[in-house]
Amino acid sequence: MEHIGARRNPSAPQASAAVIEKLKHIPAALISDNMRRIVGTSNLRPMHRGGVLVGTAVTVRVRRGDNLAIHRAFDFCRPGDVMVIDGGGDTTQALMGEIMCSYAEKLGLAGLVLDGAIRDIAAIREKDFPVFARGVTHKGPYKCGPGEINVPVSIDGLVINPGDIIVADDDGMVAFEQAEADYLIVKALEQIEREHATMAQIREDRYDRSWIDALEANSAR
């Protein structure tokens, strides 16, 4: 039996390909809106050239500045997974660079999320492979351990469990249980239709702003 600090748990079942495909066309902001705007992160930024990240979380918790458990976690990842790394928000040592990111891409991962730093940013930002991180530093990692795989982690204050669905883009990242995906997809698609209608109203000079009066009247009570 492995003890706390060194646990290695099996990866959770992956979200269906159909769900993942639908989510690739929905902005993180609209999913956030339909989670009452209190779930998600904003301090991790895309380090790659551009593109959305959607996939099933394989989680890793490491000691700050140490990536030994990350190397082992690759053995727990399947094509389409997102490796989510809780590095405690530390940016003094990079947890990975071009070599590990290239290996993750070769394995077919959907992308990487690090609450920590990366290096080799010039090479990484030339690629479309999604990498979201808190910062950049030239100083590399240690490889001493400990670390845990597929345990609940905290990414910029957002709790992510193994098997959660990750959606990240230029605006930030959200995560949610697979059981919530269908509801969020329906609600977000409805919002997309409403926003398209609003944009049409703006273009045609018929945008109704009377809602401002109603809100101001309500706030004055």
Side-chain angles (χ1 to χ4, degrees):
M1 177 180 179
E2 290 182 301
H3 297 288
I4 294 173
R7 291 171 293 187
R8 306 281 189 270
N9 296 318
S11 296
Q14 289 181 302
S16 75
V19 164
I20 296 298
E21 185 58 32
K22 289 176 184 176
L23 288 167
K24 287 180 180 178
H25 305 285
I26 298 176
L30 297 193
I31 296 173
S32 173
D33 283 352
N34 288 285
M35 298 177 79
R36 302 302 180 102
R37 301 177 175 174
I38 63 169
V39 175
T41 74
S42 56
N43 288 319
L44 273 62
R45 307 309 305 165
M47 300 294 177
H48 54 294
R49 183 161 48 193
V52 223
L53 169 59
V54 182
T56 305
V58 170
T59 63
V60 191
R61 179 188 292 127
V62 299
R63 185 166 64 92
R64 295 183 176 206
D66 191 292
N67 74 1
L68 182 60
I70 300 173
H71 284 279
R72 177 55 64 203
F74 282 124
D75 296 334
F76 290 73
C77 291
R78 304 144 301 191
D81 282 336
V82 178
M83 188 187 289
V84 178
I85 302 158
D86 179 355
D90 178 69
T91 56
T92 59
Q93 310 285 149
L95 289 173
M96 64 171 65
E98 181 184 9
I99 289 176
M100 291 179 72
C101 290
S102 298
Y103 185 60
E105 183 177 15
K106 181 68 174 175
L107 289 176
L109 271 67
L112 298 162
V113 170
L114 302 91
D115 197 355
I118 61 167
R119 66 179 185 176
D120 304 327
I121 182 63
I124 290 168
R125 68 183 168 208
E126 291 300 314
K127 293 176 174 286
D128 294 324
F129 179 68
V131 178
F132 288 78
R134 186 179 283 268
V136 177
T137 180
H138 59 88
K139 292 188 289 184
Y142 299 102
K143 293 177 172 58
C144 304
E148 299 191 297
I149 299 168
N150 284 320
V151 297
V153 296
S154 175
I155 304 295
D156 189 29
L158 171 64
V159 175
I160 298 178
N161 291 294
D164 282 355
I165 296 177
I166 306 296
V167 178
D169 57 26
D170 288 345
D171 285 335
M173 183 181 77
V174 292
F176 48 90
E177 296 177 11
Q178 293 186 31
E180 297 173 327
D182 289 339
Y183 167 83
L184 290 171
I185 289 168
V186 168
K187 289 300 188 182
L189 290 177
E190 290 174 354
Q191 186 171 342
I192 286 172
E193 288 301 314
R194 292 195 300 272
E195 292 190 356
H196 285 169
T198 300
M199 292 301 293
Q201 292 167 7
I202 291 171
R203 288 192 301 270
E204 297 162 9
D205 294 325
R206 53 186 184 86
Y207 180 39
D208 181 5
R209 300 175 68 245
S210 60
W211 58 270
I212 300 173
D213 295 332
L215 287 180
E216 286 182 337
N218 185 61
S219 67
R221 291 178 184 174

